[in-house]
Amino acid sequence: MSLGELIYFPVQAKGLQLAILAEASGLEWTGFTVDKSPAGPKSWPAIKASGASPFGQLPMLRTPGGRVVGQSVAIANYIAHRASMHGAGDDDFALSQMCLAEGEDLYSLLLGAELARWKPREVRAAKAAAVRGLIATTVPDHLAKLEALCAAPLGFTSTGQTAGELYLFGMLYQTAAVAGAASLDATPRLKAWFDRTKALPAVAKVLEGRSAIGSLGQYFMNDADYDRFNAA
Ligand SMILES: N[C@@H](CCC(=O)N[C@@H](CS)C(=O)NCC(=O)O)C(=O)O
């Protein structure tokens, strides 16, 4: 049976990880990104007003059984449950869940630093010092802790590809887009796992916009990317 239909905005943010999980599940899935039009099958205002989303937010996953799953972590765990992506035993499960939760923490840091591409320039300016601290200290601290946990030959777990690891990858990918590609250089085991994960066919397919959900644009931007994006 198919996994279902994944629905999100046309940006990475909380969609990238779930598209990667859906693609890596090996199950058939469909998906689409919403738009701002007032009506129509892809209209977010219409979907939101319909009450179809359990929390009035995206992402959401419509399952073949008719359940709509809301909340990213629940969707990730639902996919993992359906496709046996929790790893090979109790220890893998624990590490996978730790990676998943850490991915959420990284997302909160990026969100709290007002790095979303649509934020007004003044809002970003007010956070400039906090962003410098994030990149100089907070992100490296998180990466160092991840490096200590990334101690198995293939990653954190025996497979290196559990749901939590793939979820973490998506958040690290978005963090590195802001902090710079070199941000992983001080954590070589993490970097090796990150690079291997990035090269997985399912991951590359999503990153290149070839998966069922289509193209997901960069959402968190450093100043250089923000200037380029908003000048375009
Ligand atoms: N805790 C939720 C947060 C979801 C969330 O914040 N969704 C935002 C976009 S990332 C949203 O749907 N915003 C549009 C709205 O509320 O109308 C999750 O992890 O899924």
Side-chain angles (χ1 to χ4, degrees):
M1 203 192 295
S2 99
L3 189 59
E5 181 175 60
L6 180 64
I7 304 166
Y8 194 56
F9 301 97
V11 289
Q12 294 171 352
K14 287 219 146 179
L16 175 65
Q17 303 65 231
L18 297 180
I20 288 174
L21 282 169
E23 193 60 37
S25 75
L27 299 172
E28 279 180 26
W29 65 289
T30 58
F32 68 87
T33 55
V34 299
D35 57 36
K36 291 179 184 161
S37 58
K42 293 188 176 177
S43 157
W44 172 234
I47 295 170
K48 186 168 170 119
S50 76
S53 164
F55 296 97
Q57 291 181 317
L58 296 178
M60 64 189 236
L61 179 80
R62 289 186 206 274
T63 73
R67 165 69 54 200
V68 178
V69 189
Q71 295 289 359
S72 305
V73 169
I75 298 170
N77 274 318
Y78 174 82
I79 297 172
H81 171 74
R82 288 283 313 278
S84 301
M85 296 167 76
H86 285 307
D90 297 348
D91 212 43
D92 275 4
F93 178 76
L95 283 158
S96 173
Q97 291 299 308
M98 286 160 72
C99 288
L100 183 57
E102 170 65 2
E104 284 293 277
D105 279 3
L106 290 173
Y107 183 85
S108 296
L109 288 172
L110 297 173
L111 198 68
E114 306 285 15
L115 287 162
R117 71 186 192 190
W118 59 271
K119 292 282 174 166
R121 213 169 271 279
E122 321 78 78
V123 173
R124 287 174 66 94
K127 285 281 182 177
V131 169
R132 279 195 296 277
L134 178 71
I135 290 172
T137 309
T138 313
V139 166
D141 281 355
H142 277 258
L143 299 183
K145 291 187 170 66
L146 286 169
E147 175 79 352
L149 284 171
C150 189
L154 296 175
F156 296 83
T157 70
S158 63
T159 67
Q161 296 178 30
T162 57
E165 284 164 297
L166 295 175
Y167 197 92
L168 173 65
F169 169 82
M171 294 304 188
L172 274 178
Y173 182 85
Q174 299 190 68
T175 305
V178 170
S183 55
L184 286 164
D185 287 353
T187 51
R189 285 195 307 272
L190 185 67
K191 180 172 164 41
W193 162 81
F194 179 89
D195 290 342
R196 269 197 309 277
T197 306
K198 190 175 168 188
L200 293 173
V203 175
K205 189 170 172 182
V206 173
L207 290 176
E208 291 162 17
R210 294 183 286 111
S211 83
I213 202 162
S215 178
L216 300 173
Q218 183 180 342
Y219 186 65
F220 296 112
M221 295 190 173
N222 58 29
D223 287 346
D225 288 344
Y226 179 86
D227 287 345
R228 258 192 301 277
F229 178 76
N230 288 295

